[in-house]
Amino acid sequence: QIVFQWHARIRNYTTEFESCRLEAVSLEFGDYHPLKPITVTESKTKKMSRKGSTSSTSSSSSSSVMDPLSSVLDGTDPLSLFAATADPVTAAANMDSTRKKRDKEDHLAVGSDFEPWSSKRGEILARYTTTEKLSIVSKVTTPGSAVSEKVRTRLEELDDLEEGSQKELLNLTQQDYINRIEELNQSLKDAWSSDQKVKALKIVIQCSKLLSDTTVIQFYPSKFVLITDILDTFGKLVYERILSMCVDSRVSLPDNFTPESINDTAKETCLNWFFKIASIRELIPRFYVEAAILKCNKFLSKTGISECLPRLTSMIRGIGDPLVAVCARAYLCRVGMEVAPHLKESLNKNFFDFLLTFKQIHGDTVQNQLVVQCVEIPLYLTLYSPAIDWILQCIAYRAPEGLLTEMMERCKKLGNNALLLNSVMSAFRAEFIAARSMDFIAMIKECDESGFPKHLLFRSLGLNLALADPPESDRLQILNEAWKVITKLKNPQDYINCAEVWVEYTCRHFTKREVNTVLADVIKHMTPDRAFEEAYPQLQSIIQKVITYFHDFSILFSVEKFLPFLDMFQKECVRVEVCKCIMEAFIKHQQESTKDPVILNALLHVCKTMHDSVNALTLEDEKRMLAALINGFIKMVSFGRDFEQQLSFYVEARSMFCNLEPVLVQLIHSVNQLAMETRKVMKGNHSRKTAAFVRACVAFCFITIPSLSSIFARLNLYLHSGQVALANQCLSQADAFFKAAVSLVPEVPKMINIDGKMRPSETFLLEFLCNFFSTLLIVPDHPEQGVLFLVRGLLNVIQDYTWEENCDDKIRIYTNVLHLLSAMTQETYIYHVDKVDSNDTLYGGDSKFLAEINKVCETVITQILDHLKTLGKDEALKRQSQLALYFFNTILAHGDLRNNKLNQLSVNLWNLAQKHGFADTKTMVKTLEYIKKRSKQPEMSHFAELALRLPLQSRT
């Protein structure tokens, strides 16, 4: 077997660096430069010749300077320039018409700032529930009646529904009732799709009748929501049906169509629907069904809706039950806001009608009904809230401030009714309410306590004051008046619901002293009988509000009652969520690093709480999130020049957060950074004290790394920590790190888990070893361990490692070892560590040292060539070609090709790469061009001869 000796070419790194630098080119003033502003010259003279066509000397030429980066800021971007060239008169007219159109739309349409009914629906259904049994009237269809139904007139069919065979379903639970209503909704859609329009109308009438039944009164608001869903579906189906009759196959109706553009068939169908509904004898179903199709009036006349709304408003006066009536008014407002939001007069009239009949609520009829159903008056009054809130929201939408004054006066005339006052505060803009805060407090004081609790009124006021600021002179008095009422509340749930709202007002306008007082009061109310266990959401909200307004954590943690407040969170999952909120706020708002002991002790406690929640069942994502928050805290801690205190903090953190691997990794990086900062302060010249401190840092890392489970985290940290030890002249410690890394390589598994997926590890191992080789160049040999002891040890490990059969990574690693060994033979190495003598200094180019390197090179080259021989089979020829070229490039870059054997080996490898047609022709051509180019440089003339010996073979 032929033994190839390695001959590394002698490198002059200084000269090579110089040759690789960009060439400096002198630039005349006025010449083109890529950062120079672009000058665009427009010439209006006739083009005489090519020469001088871009000259700007012509009297009619104009030039403009454009900077592509700043053009966005000064309005000269292409779109702005295009707009500027438009006719100014046309542009002004267009802008004026657009503004008018937008103003008109703002006046007419309901904007995104209007809270839709759909957002309230779920809350009403969840709030108004019952455990009592419900009943529902269901239509019974007898077999064989289909023939007779065809004969009857439609009016008779409607009568049949009102008088015919019906059955009452009794003893339904709330869920059964809801299911039955949903079935009716589906039946409506099915009947409509099967062209049974009269049946669909029957279902809607049947459902509407249910709204006159108040036998289970506390469920009525939810029933209203469910039934009006069916009415909405019906109204939409009728409207779309008539609209489809208006649409021609060629032209579709515009959104703002007029009755004149509607054909007679559609109008007749529309009238037919209104006539059918008018023939319903009972008031409540007739009102609701007509209100559901109110929008269809657009097909008949321009003033149809504006004429119908007052009539429907007046119809409601005939409904005797005040709760049924107010819900009917709410539905009319809902439909009115959808189809004609500009008709505010009708909405206002609707509400003022309600106020006139408000005294009915306290009448004998209602009181007797409540006695029968065993419902207390405070509970009964809350049933009105959804309807009144909605009516007032519609009235108050974009209303002037004067309307609020009028409403307040009307409330006073009614004896400051708490229910109305609450709805007024909920409906009008927060700015209007906040400006009159003291007036509202005076009205709240005069309210009757029996019907609607005052604390709910203060809660509504507090919600407004969280959104808008009251006059500065009133702020303290407002807080005192509100808290006098809140602190007297005996029921913990009522108390915390109010306190939660007013905490934000306190944080917004006052100092930590007032906030501390409020938190102390909350603790006092919520601690007895462990009441806090039923109020975790509200307590969480309080914490969130406090940390939203107190970004300075030294102030926050000096609030005496803040940490005792945290102690109320006894349930672990809630406590962890609160801790996460605090840490997120700290990381977001803490601008500078801190060493404040108050902050450190408090946040260590918070982080410890998060860490201790980790167990075997904790998800990886949750662990990652907790670790990121703790790491964010660790990075923000700095004791300045007190490095020993900093290291003590890291030691304490390691003992506290040992179950979260990313935190340990961060601590190792932080300690390494601390060692390098020490080196920077001492400018590389350690005193006895700093040398001992740096060794302590190194020891911290050496002890901590083995506790990590991720093998590549350990490998990379051993390498990184070894580099830090080397930079701080801790040679024996650096050797220990590198030995540990070498001994760990055999433990690398074939597959590793990356983001939950198993992937081959060899790519990561190759990357690590290449980094390791770069470091080994500058590591001096240990006097007792022999020449190249670390390189030899690593090569033995690579040799013994079990590589994948169809993988060439081992040979790529050997090729990279040749790069390292070539660099080691140089008289002066390419880089050094300050104040550390590498082997170039230690051995001074000693022949025995070079001979040892050559021995290792021979062994490595033999391994590479043996592997290339094994790739001679058909399925491996492509890999053989790639590896041959890879090895050829290594010899080209690092070998001395004046040596005949090495020169011949390179030619053989070139031919082998092309032998079976698997070589990339473009790569081969570029490589050959590079060789020819290099041959023109001094001391590289032998490359010219080499180029002649390297043929290019075509694939054919």
Side-chain angles (χ1 to χ4, degrees):
Q1 184 179 356
I2 300 172
V3 177
F4 287 95
Q5 285 191 339
W6 179 254
H7 295 269
R9 71 183 178 91
I10 299 166
R11 310 281 291 268
N12 186 332
Y13 292 120
T14 309
T15 310
E16 286 185 35
F17 278 135
E18 288 296 328
S19 66
C20 292
R21 282 185 180 167
L22 291 173
E23 186 181 353
V25 180
S26 59
L27 194 67
E28 292 290 328
F29 179 74
D31 284 357
Y32 167 77
H33 188 274
L35 299 180
K36 182 183 174 187
I38 303 165
T39 304
V40 180
T41 308
E42 182 189 353
S43 179
K44 294 181 182 174
T45 55
K46 285 186 181 179
K47 186 176 179 182
M48 301 294 289
S49 64
R50 184 76 180 158
K51 185 179 178 183
S53 62
T54 56
S55 169
S56 59
T57 55
S58 169
S59 60
S60 63
S61 68
S62 64
S63 67
S64 60
V65 177
M66 290 173 62
D67 175 4
L69 295 179
S70 63
S71 61
V72 179
L73 303 175
D74 61 14
T76 58
D77 60 285
L79 295 178
S80 302
L81 289 171
F82 177 75
T85 57
D87 180 12
V89 178
T90 311
N94 288 341
M95 194 177 292
D96 192 44
S97 66
T98 304
R99 190 186 296 112
K100 283 180 181 175
K101 185 178 178 184
R102 189 175 65 246
D103 291 347
K104 186 179 178 184
E105 284 174 357
D106 284 352
H107 175 65
L108 295 179
V110 174
S112 58
D113 55 336
F114 184 81
E115 187 182 0
W117 174 258
S118 56
S119 67
K120 297 177 180 291
R121 181 182 178 281
E123 184 188 338
I124 295 170
L125 288 173
R127 183 178 173 189
Y128 298 98
T129 58
T130 183
T131 55
E132 293 191 32
K133 299 298 181 183
L134 302 160
S135 63
I136 191 168
V137 176
S138 179
K139 173 83 169 66
V140 177
T141 306
T142 54
S145 65
V147 177
S148 62
E149 279 192 9
K150 288 180 182 176
V151 179
R152 290 176 187 164
T153 63
R154 291 188 176 185
L155 183 57
E156 285 172 339
E157 287 183 314
L158 296 179
D159 286 339
D160 178 50
L161 178 78
E162 295 185 48
E163 299 169 359
S165 55
Q166 300 173 14
K167 79 170 177 182
E168 190 172 11
L169 300 178
L170 302 171
N171 296 324
L172 298 176
T173 64
Q174 180 181 314
Q175 192 54 51
D176 293 337
Y177 191 90
I178 292 170
N179 294 342
R180 179 66 188 134
I181 296 292
E182 286 174 357
E183 284 172 20
L184 285 169
N185 201 353
Q186 190 57 46
S187 301
L188 167 66
K189 294 174 184 174
D190 295 342
W192 192 273
S193 61
S194 60
D195 209 28
Q196 294 178 284
K197 304 295 186 294
V198 173
K199 183 180 177 184
L201 180 57
K202 285 181 184 181
I203 293 168
V204 176
I205 295 169
Q206 180 185 340
C207 292
S208 303
K209 281 185 173 185
L210 296 174
L211 289 173
S212 59
D213 173 28
T214 57
T215 48
V216 185
I217 203 160
Q218 63 266 41
F219 184 65
Y220 192 83
S222 291
K223 184 201 286 190
F224 170 74
V225 167
L226 296 167
I227 301 297
T228 51
D229 283 351
I230 296 176
L231 288 162
D232 291 343
T233 303
F234 177 71
K236 188 178 177 186
L237 290 170
V238 173
Y239 183 82
E240 288 176 354
R241 163 77 177 144
I242 299 169
L243 188 65
S244 67
M245 297 171 75
C246 307
V247 177
D248 190 6
S249 58
R250 292 159 295 172
V251 185
S252 61
L253 270 180
D255 291 338
N256 55 344
F257 64 85
T258 58
E260 289 76 24
S261 59
I262 306 301
N263 60 51
D264 292 341
T265 309
K267 283 185 178 179
E268 188 178 340
T269 305
C270 187
L271 277 170
N272 192 19
W273 277 109
F274 280 110
F275 290 152
K276 280 179 191 170
I277 292 163
S279 66
I280 300 171
R281 281 179 289 185
E282 289 188 29
L283 172 61
I284 289 176
R286 184 168 74 250
F287 163 78
Y288 272 108
V289 180
E290 184 175 353
I293 67 162
L294 181 67
K295 192 176 181 180
C296 295
N297 279 285
K298 288 171 67 177
F299 298 111
L300 300 176
S301 73
K302 287 182 181 178
T303 58
I305 293 173
S306 59
E307 289 166 1
C308 277
L309 273 174
R311 180 172 56 77
L312 289 170
T313 303
S314 301
M315 280 172 70
I316 299 172
R317 293 176 183 174
I319 300 174
D321 190 305
L323 180 60
V324 177
V326 78
C327 287
R329 294 184 192 284
Y331 186 67
L332 187 60
C333 283
R334 199 172 115 200
V335 176
M337 284 300 282
E338 285 175 15
V339 300
H342 57 288
L343 297 175
K344 282 289 181 70
E345 300 81 12
S346 296
L347 300 179
N348 292 354
K349 184 188 175 205
N350 193 359
F351 182 68
F352 295 147
D353 268 10
F354 164 69
L355 292 182
L356 291 173
T357 59
F358 191 76
K359 58 180 179 291
Q360 279 183 289
I361 292 173
H362 300 286
D364 292 341
T365 310
V366 172
Q367 296 299 323
N368 293 338
Q369 186 184 16
L370 297 183
V371 170
V372 171
Q373 295 198 32
C374 302
V375 174
E376 298 289 331
I377 191 75
L379 173 62
Y380 176 67
L381 289 177
T382 60
L383 304 178
Y384 284 80
S385 292
I388 298 174
D389 287 351
W390 178 259
I391 295 168
L392 277 167
Q393 181 186 323
C394 296
I395 292 171
Y397 181 63
R398 292 184 181 171
E401 201 168 349
L403 184 61
L404 175 59
T405 309
E406 185 182 348
M407 287 292 175
M408 290 171 74
E409 290 302 319
R410 285 180 179 265
C411 283
K412 286 176 184 174
K413 285 179 184 176
L414 286 168
N416 288 332
N417 183 276
L419 177 66
L420 282 178
L421 199 56
N422 190 60
S423 294
V424 167
M425 286 191 287
S426 301
F428 280 87
R429 283 175 56 189
E431 293 83 357
F432 296 170
I433 305 293
R436 296 167 171 75
S437 298
M438 291 308 298
D439 294 338
F440 275 105
I441 286 175
M443 291 171 72
I444 291 169
K445 280 181 176 178
E446 292 171 15
C447 281
D448 179 18
E449 181 75 52
S450 61
F452 197 92
K454 283 186 181 178
H455 68 84
L456 292 181
L457 296 175
F458 274 108
R459 186 177 190 278
S460 297
L461 180 61
L463 287 170
N464 282 290
L465 296 180
L467 299 172
D469 299 334
E472 196 167 345
S473 57
D474 296 340
R475 287 174 187 173
L476 184 59
Q477 190 181 350
I478 290 168
L479 179 62
N480 287 333
E481 293 288 349
W483 210 261
K484 274 181 202 171
V485 175
I486 295 167
T487 196
K488 288 176 185 174
L489 293 172
K490 302 295 181 195
N491 184 316
Q493 205 60 41
D494 291 343
Y495 172 83
I496 197 65
N497 285 336
C498 279
E500 174 204 354
V501 172
W502 282 89
V503 162
E504 183 164 4
Y505 175 77
T506 312
C507 294
R508 193 177 170 114
H509 299 298
F510 299 99
T511 64
K512 70 173 187 177
R513 187 169 68 88
E514 289 80 6
V515 172
N516 190 56
T517 306
V518 169
L519 292 182
D521 196 58
V522 174
I523 294 169
K524 177 184 164 188
H525 277 78
M526 300 309 292
T527 307
D529 302 323
R530 298 177 69 85
F532 53 77
E533 290 182 344
E534 303 298 322
Y536 283 138
Q538 293 92 329
L539 295 174
Q540 272 182 276
S541 174
I542 289 173
I543 287 287
Q544 190 69 57
K545 285 165 182 171
V546 171
I547 59 179
T548 299
Y549 287 95
F550 285 83
H551 295 165
D552 187 337
F553 277 72
S554 59
I555 293 174
L556 178 65
F557 289 124
S558 64
V559 174
E560 186 185 343
K561 294 296 179 181
F562 185 75
L563 290 177
F565 191 93
L566 287 183
D567 291 338
M568 284 198 291
F569 295 98
Q570 302 279 310
K571 193 176 179 182
E572 186 180 63
C573 59
V574 180
R575 188 166 70 243
V576 171
E577 283 302 315
V578 171
C579 290
K580 280 158 68 173
C581 285
I582 293 170
M583 291 312 303
E584 283 166 4
F586 177 78
I587 291 165
K588 182 178 179 182
H589 298 298
Q590 186 73 20
Q591 301 295 324
E592 297 174 355
S593 54
T594 181
K595 61 177 180 179
D596 186 330
V598 175
I599 294 178
L600 296 191
N601 289 331
L603 289 184
L604 276 173
H605 171 69
V606 168
C607 290
K608 178 70 172 157
T609 302
M610 293 195 301
H611 169 270
D612 291 349
S613 70
V614 174
N615 56 43
L617 299 177
T618 307
L619 297 173
E620 286 301 318
D621 280 351
E622 177 72 6
K623 287 183 186 176
R624 203 175 295 122
M625 182 188 292
L626 295 176
L629 292 172
I630 295 171
N631 284 344
F633 164 59
I634 289 169
K635 289 176 189 173
M636 293 303 295
V637 176
S638 172
F639 290 89
R641 285 291 185 88
D642 190 349
F643 291 162
E644 290 182 350
Q645 183 68 37
Q646 188 82 33
L647 183 59
S648 298
F649 169 77
Y650 291 143
V651 171
E652 184 184 358
R654 180 179 62 184
S655 66
M656 293 177 79
F657 309 127
C658 55
N659 289 333
L660 287 172
E661 191 159 305
V663 178
L664 295 178
V665 171
Q666 176 60 46
L667 287 169
I668 293 165
H669 283 305
S670 297
V671 170
N672 279 328
Q673 188 179 355
L674 187 62
M676 293 307 288
E677 282 177 18
T678 308
R679 177 180 182 273
K680 185 178 177 183
V681 169
M682 300 304 292
K683 297 179 181 174
N685 299 309
H686 283 300
S687 64
R688 182 178 295 176
K689 184 180 178 182
T690 59
F693 174 75
V694 166
R695 284 196 294 274
C697 291
V698 169
F700 175 99
C701 298
F702 195 75
I703 292 166
T704 311
I705 292 172
S707 63
L708 304 177
S709 61
S710 167
I711 194 155
F712 278 102
R714 277 185 278 161
L715 282 171
N716 287 312
L717 286 170
Y718 273 135
L719 177 58
H720 181 61
S721 303
Q723 291 166 344
V724 170
L726 199 61
N728 284 285
Q729 299 129 53
C730 303
L731 301 185
S732 59
Q733 286 86 349
D735 278 352
F737 278 115
F738 297 140
K739 282 179 186 175
V742 170
S743 63
L744 194 58
V745 170
E747 296 178 26
V748 174
K750 294 287 173 289
M751 306 291 283
I752 54 170
N753 191 321
I754 304 287
D755 296 330
K757 293 181 181 177
M758 298 306 291
R759 302 197 183 280
S761 63
E762 291 184 357
T763 311
F764 299 97
L765 183 58
L766 179 62
E767 182 186 353
F768 166 75
L769 290 172
C770 289
N771 289 338
F772 200 0
F773 295 150
S774 301
T775 303
L776 289 179
L777 173 64
I778 49 171
V779 178
D781 280 341
H782 194 285
E784 297 173 6
Q785 300 283 351
V787 179
L788 304 178
F789 77 102
L790 280 172
V791 176
R792 289 176 190 275
L794 188 54
L795 283 172
N796 291 334
V797 166
I798 293 167
Q799 177 65 27
D800 296 338
Y801 186 79
T802 309
W803 299 89
E804 290 288 334
E805 285 186 16
N806 297 322
C807 176
D808 301 317
D809 285 338
K810 179 180 178 181
I811 302 308
R812 293 182 188 278
I813 291 168
Y814 279 150
T815 313
N816 285 325
V817 170
L818 285 179
H819 303 172
L820 167 64
L821 296 171
S822 299
M824 281 184 161
T825 62
Q826 303 303 317
E827 190 176 329
T828 305
Y829 290 170
I830 189 170
Y831 47 82
H832 293 88
V833 173
D834 191 30
K835 297 184 174 57
V836 174
D837 291 333
S838 297
N839 286 340
D840 56 341
T841 307
L842 293 179
Y843 292 109
D846 183 73
S847 57
K848 288 182 182 178
F849 174 63
L850 297 178
E852 286 294 329
I853 292 176
N854 284 331
K855 278 184 189 176
V856 179
C857 288
E858 287 170 18
T859 308
V860 169
I861 292 173
T862 304
Q863 291 277 351
I864 294 171
L865 295 178
D866 287 347
H867 185 76
L868 282 170
K869 286 177 187 174
T870 64
L871 298 177
K873 297 172 185 175
D874 290 346
E875 65 275 8
L877 291 175
K878 186 174 183 180
R879 287 165 53 206
Q880 186 189 55
S881 171
Q882 291 171 342
L883 274 184
L885 187 59
Y886 189 64
F887 189 25
F888 172 83
N889 285 329
T890 294
I891 296 173
L892 197 63
H894 300 280
D896 185 356
L897 288 167
R898 287 173 293 193
N899 178 274
N900 291 334
K901 284 188 178 180
L902 209 53
N903 195 302
Q904 184 57 48
L905 176 60
S906 65
V907 173
N908 293 345
L909 288 167
W910 177 269
N911 292 331
L912 181 61
Q914 300 183 94
K915 185 175 180 181
H916 300 286
F918 286 104
D920 180 21
T921 310
K922 284 184 180 178
T923 306
M924 305 300 280
V925 169
K926 285 183 179 178
T927 306
L928 194 56
E929 286 174 359
Y930 167 77
I931 293 168
K932 289 175 181 175
K933 186 178 177 183
R934 289 290 302 276
S935 67
K936 295 173 184 175
Q937 294 177 359
E939 300 180 5
M940 288 291 175
S941 55
H942 56 284
F943 269 41
E945 183 190 344
L946 176 66
L948 296 174
R949 300 178 62 197
L950 301 177
L952 278 173
Q953 295 177 9
S954 64
R955 291 206 174 194
T956 54

